[in-house]
Amino acid sequence: MDTDEKPLNEQASLALINRMINSAQQGVSDNGFYFLLWGWLVFAAAMGNWTLIHVFPTELNWLPWAILMPLGGIVSGIYGWKVERKKKVKTYADEVMDYVAAAFLIALFSVLFVFSWKLGWATTYPFIMIIYGIWLFVSGGVLKFRPLIYGGLINFACAIGSLWIHSYHMILVLAFAVLAGYIIPGHLLKAKYNREKHNAAV
Amino acid sequence: MLPFKDLDPILHSQLRLAVISLLISVREAEFTFLKEKTGATAGNLSVQIGKLKDAGYIDVEKKFRDNYPLTICRITPKGTKAFHEYVKAIQQYINSSNK
């Protein structure tokens, strides 16, 4: 686009508008970082917690949560500071996702560190899965990515179903919910992002 | 043919229309993003951004990141309204031309 005053006819104006709007939407898709980070951390914490309850019993069985969740918060914060702030463009979807992520973290930490202390661990798992379900469902809708929406629905189903499951198995339901809701869709989202990036470069 | 509605001269220019079309789809964009997407030269783009700003169609925020200057542009409500009116006027003109 060499000159600003180049005359435009009406058809060319509409074509230019369409081209620019489509172009603005390219390259702003999500790389799945947060889904993979939180998916793997929660999966590891849940399995670690289960192992320390049933395989190597210890009173410190909550330790994987106490270590991995704040670690996730710190890594998310650093990633947000280092990578997200360097984005050349911020879409309306990005803005919505920022608020959803903030609400998710506040709710998650409230459940992990206040609800669990006040109500006991076993009662908190369904709350955790409901919170995950909301984040996944909203994110899937905003990003127009169905695997995340299905992941959200699986988390809702697991949250409700776990109410009828003995607390002994509840943590395994959580691990499954995270695998189906975060880890698998997270990898699919990352693959989609890499594909789009590759196509844009070709 | 319907009476032709005068097109907004601020928007009826290739580069300014491209900038506004990019900004209408996003919350905010850096100067380098606009330069990359429009393929314009930095000098020309600066001049056109200045004209859009003077018309009140966009907000321009200048700041520093890691000691480098950073220009961030956002469309204003006035710019959004002007863009919609421009598109409507073009569509009316095209529709009446096709009759």
Side-chain angles (χ1 to χ4, degrees), chain A residues 1-14 16-28 85-92 95, chain B residues 4 7 12-18 21-22 24-30 32-33 36-40 44 48 51 65-66 83 86-87 90 93-94:
Chain A
M1 227 166 273
D2 297 327
T3 170
D4 58 300
E5 304 302 346
K6 202 168 164 181
L8 276 170
N9 66 37
E10 287 63 35
Q11 297 284 1
S13 289
L14 272 190
L16 175 67
I17 290 167
N18 278 329
R19 203 167 66 243
M20 287 298 131
I21 288 177
N22 288 333
S23 171
Q25 298 301 324
Q26 282 169 7
V28 291
R85 79 189 184 105
K86 286 188 179 168
K87 276 188 175 175
K88 289 179 185 172
V89 61
K90 189 165 191 177
T91 62
Y92 291 101
E95 200 178 27
Chain B
F4 179 67
L7 293 169
H12 200 56
S13 124
Q14 197 169 353
L15 187 48
R16 290 195 293 269
L17 182 60
S21 303
L22 286 167
I24 197 98
S25 352
V26 299
R27 175 81 183 79
E28 59 186 35
E30 286 180 20
T32 49
F33 175 84
E36 198 179 287
K37 294 289 182 184
T38 57
N44 194 8
Q48 302 318 318
K51 287 184 183 175
R65 184 168 66 199
D66 301 332
F83 177 79
Y86 179 84
V87 172
I90 285 182
Y93 184 72
I94 290 172

Side-chain angles (χ1 to χ4, degrees), chain A residues 104-124:
Chain A
F104 165 78
L105 288 175
I106 293 167
L108 182 68
F109 279 77
S110 304
V111 168
L112 285 175
F113 297 109
V114 185
F115 285 40
S116 64
W117 166 66
K118 198 80 178 152
L119 302 173
W121 266 110
T123 53
T124 60

Side-chain angles (χ1 to χ4, degrees), chain B residues 59-75:
Chain B
D59 274 335
V60 179
E61 186 188 347
K62 289 185 186 285
K63 54 184 187 181
F64 283 87
R65 184 168 66 199
D66 301 332
N67 294 323
Y68 286 97
L70 187 68
T71 303
I72 295 172
C73 303
R74 288 180 206 93
I75 195 164

